[in-house]
Amino acid sequence: MSKLYELLSSFCPDGVEYKTLGELGKFYSGLSGKTKEDFKDGNAVFITYMNVYSNFELKVDVEDRVRIEKNEKQNTVQYGDVLFTGSSETPDECGMSSVLTEQTDKKLYLNSFCFGYRFDNSDLFLPGFTKHLFRSGELRHQITRTASGVTRFNVSKKKMESVIIPVPPIEVQREIVRILDKFTELTAELKAELTAELKARKQQYEYYRDKLLTFETDAEIVPLQNVVEIDRGIRVTRSQLSENGKYPVYQNSLTPMGYYNQKNRDGNNTFLICAGAAGDIGYCCQAFWAADDCYTFKCSDRIGNRYLFHVLKSKQDLIYSRVRRASIPRISRESLNSIKIPVPSLEVQNRIVSVLDNFDVICSDMNIRLPAEIEARQKQYEFYRDQLLTFAETGNSILTDRQTDRQTDRQTEPD
């Protein structure tokens, strides 16, 4: 029998009491009467919309500030308060919650696009418990049902008063917090580990790339125009694009802006992003459409396109330095043509490409693995969170059917 089951049997054998938010506390509004000038040179900590939206545990060590005058009457956030985003473009993203889980001497002011909730009895809930509770599937379902709108949806504080939450004993809350916090700790540790490994691999790739592309006498140094034909892309309108066309269309990132049923040109090409803020060098193989803020590179028989890709990656700082700074930063074809690059024999190029491509594959695999691992851990956390926060109501059996079934899976929970 798990510790949580023992606690439920001991402290609430007849089920857990449920109450509405209206019965348990009161809502309050964010800042009022503020102008843009009040946020330019503030003297108090300001909790932004994104702080609430992105964190189920409120971040208070932030640089966001607002000007609060002496004796000005504004609501402040207190330990244990639950904060909610007020509106969003979709109902599913309305009413996202964040809880102040740490004691602080700072006065915290909430932005006007959010609102807060304070329990009348601060001893009734652990803030560490409510941070999980208000992001659970059942609570999110209830909260999104209070949203209304057409192009933008707003949560109704009045309707939020009817949202029902369980009130388990503190001892039960503490054990649930222990289990769920362990999940989030393990996820954070995994993310840090994989991120550090990815950073190390990228540094290793850059080291060997720069080493391998440094020639003393084995390579001729020539302007790019001597070995590559550079063409500008051709404008397409969004009305010409579709979600399932034949060829991806690139504009100023390596994420396709859509798909088109024609391609720019035949053969293998190196693809360079040159628009916006002079983005990174990228590589696109064969069939694509380059829009007018892009250049395509067609290699001569003296240079391989994959070798050129690695060379251009090593020239990023030089390329950035040649960008013309204006309202829309640009780089000219002439500036690119004059960049000098080493051109060894094709045999040497192929050996270099073989080494660097191996590093590139490792980095690419890790870029895929990192979000996949984090998503898997997040889904595991969400599953157990929703299971652990589902209680039988007072007067019913101690466990719901789902909780009974869950006992057989206890061995997969973190210790």
Side-chain angles (χ1 to χ4, degrees):
M1 181 180 291
S2 72
K3 182 178 179 180
L4 180 58
Y5 186 85
E6 292 175 356
L7 291 170
L8 288 167
S9 300
S10 176
F11 289 97
C12 43
D14 296 324
V16 171
E17 186 177 22
Y18 278 73
K19 287 184 175 292
T20 65
L21 293 183
E23 294 175 291
L24 292 170
K26 298 177 180 62
F27 291 97
Y28 62 86
S29 301
L31 288 165
S32 61
K34 291 297 175 183
T35 66
K36 289 183 179 180
E37 295 298 317
D38 292 314
F39 297 93
K40 290 183 178 180
D41 186 25
N43 60 351
V45 179
F46 167 58
I47 303 302
T48 67
Y49 179 99
M50 288 307 299
N51 191 342
V52 176
Y53 180 88
S54 303
N55 305 296
F56 69 164
E57 212 167 7
L58 194 68
K59 288 187 176 181
V60 297
D61 188 17
V62 294
E63 297 301 321
D64 305 291
R65 295 290 186 270
V66 62
R67 171 62 58 181
I68 300 293
E69 302 298 339
K70 188 177 180 180
N71 299 324
E72 183 176 346
K73 292 185 178 181
Q74 297 281 0
N75 293 318
T76 57
V77 182
Q78 296 180 12
Y79 174 71
D81 285 1
V82 186
L83 310 180
F84 297 94
T85 58
S87 64
S88 183
E89 293 179 356
T90 65
D92 291 342
E93 294 185 346
C94 284
M96 297 299 290
S97 62
S98 184
V99 178
L100 180 55
T101 58
E102 60 180 284
Q103 298 278 6
T104 178
D105 294 330
K106 298 177 182 177
K107 280 194 172 182
L108 307 175
Y109 295 88
L110 183 61
N111 75 85
S112 60
F113 298 100
C114 295
F115 58 92
Y117 176 80
R118 185 169 299 152
F119 292 103
D120 293 332
N121 182 355
S122 61
D123 296 327
L124 205 56
F125 289 96
L126 296 173
F129 177 77
T130 54
K131 76 181 181 185
H132 295 292
L133 177 66
F134 281 92
R135 291 259 179 158
S136 67
E138 171 58 29
L139 265 292
R140 289 296 308 143
H141 174 69
Q142 290 191 59
I143 291 169
T144 56
R145 291 182 65 183
T146 70
S148 60
V150 180
T151 59
R152 190 164 185 87
F153 296 83
N154 295 278
V155 171
S156 164
K157 290 197 285 284
K158 188 65 178 176
K159 290 182 179 179
M160 284 275 285
E161 291 179 353
S162 63
V163 169
I164 301 172
I165 65 172
V167 190
I170 290 295
E171 292 80 3
V172 171
Q173 293 183 35
R174 188 173 290 112
E175 176 61 10
I176 291 174
V177 170
R178 185 192 70 79
I179 295 172
L180 294 181
D181 277 0
K182 191 64 178 178
F183 272 113
T184 56
E185 288 170 11
L186 290 173
T187 300
E189 289 172 4
L190 175 67
K191 183 177 181 179
E193 177 185 333
L194 293 177
T195 301
E197 185 179 350
L198 177 60
K199 181 180 179 181
R201 294 297 184 217
K202 286 182 175 179
Q203 290 174 339
Q204 194 176 28
Y205 159 77
E206 290 171 0
Y207 171 81
Y208 281 105
R209 180 197 66 201
D210 295 344
K211 198 82 171 172
L212 289 168
L213 295 175
T214 300
F215 300 90
E216 294 182 359
T217 59
D218 295 343
E220 183 182 4
I221 308 299
V222 302
L224 198 57
Q225 63 185 356
N226 287 20
V227 289
V228 175
E229 177 189 340
I230 302 178
D231 279 338
R232 197 175 191 89
I234 304 172
R235 178 181 293 276
V236 291
T237 63
R238 289 195 176 273
S239 63
Q240 294 174 281
L241 306 182
S242 65
E243 295 182 359
N244 54 3
K246 191 172 182 181
Y247 304 108
V249 176
Y250 299 97
Q251 174 77 339
N252 51 17
S253 79
L254 286 181
T255 300
M257 60 184 289
Y259 292 84
Y260 195 43
N261 287 323
Q262 297 181 41
K263 60 181 176 180
N264 281 125
R265 60 192 303 171
D266 297 325
N268 293 326
N269 294 278
T270 300
F271 180 65
L272 174 65
I273 306 300
C274 296
D280 292 336
I281 295 294
Y283 181 81
C284 181
C285 184
Q286 294 185 349
F288 63 88
W289 182 277
D292 57 342
D293 272 337
C294 302
Y295 290 107
T296 59
F297 290 69
K298 187 170 181 63
C299 298
S300 70
D301 57 7
R302 292 183 58 192
I303 189 170
N305 66 339
R306 192 64 186 172
Y307 171 77
L308 178 62
F309 163 73
H310 290 295
V311 171
L312 292 177
K313 289 289 283 185
S314 72
K315 301 286 185 181
Q316 288 282 277
D317 290 342
L318 176 61
I319 292 171
Y320 291 158
S321 71
R322 298 192 175 193
V323 171
R324 179 173 57 83
R325 307 298 172 183
S327 57
I328 302 178
R330 303 249 184 219
I331 188 168
S332 68
R333 190 179 330 200
E334 291 72 23
S335 294
L336 293 171
N337 271 326
S338 63
I339 292 174
K340 292 185 177 181
I341 65 170
V343 185
S345 68
L346 289 175
E347 181 182 359
V348 172
Q349 292 180 37
N350 290 336
R351 287 203 301 268
I352 292 172
V353 167
S354 178
V355 174
L356 296 181
D357 274 0
N358 284 332
F359 282 111
D360 201 45
V361 167
I362 292 172
C363 290
S364 296
D365 288 345
M366 290 197 65
N367 272 323
I368 295 172
R369 179 186 167 201
L370 177 58
E373 289 277 6
I374 299 303
E375 182 182 6
R377 289 296 178 93
Q378 180 65 21
K379 287 182 178 179
Q380 187 182 34
Y381 158 76
E382 291 173 358
F383 171 79
Y384 278 106
R385 178 198 63 198
D386 292 349
Q387 293 287 300
L388 292 171
L389 295 174
T390 301
F391 303 94
E393 292 188 55
T394 302
N396 295 324
S397 169
I398 179 174
L399 295 176
T400 64
D401 291 340
R402 279 190 293 171
Q403 287 174 310
T404 302
D405 293 340
R406 191 175 70 242
Q407 298 306 315
T408 60
D409 296 326
R410 287 295 178 198
Q411 65 273 19
T412 63
E413 291 180 7
D415 296 328

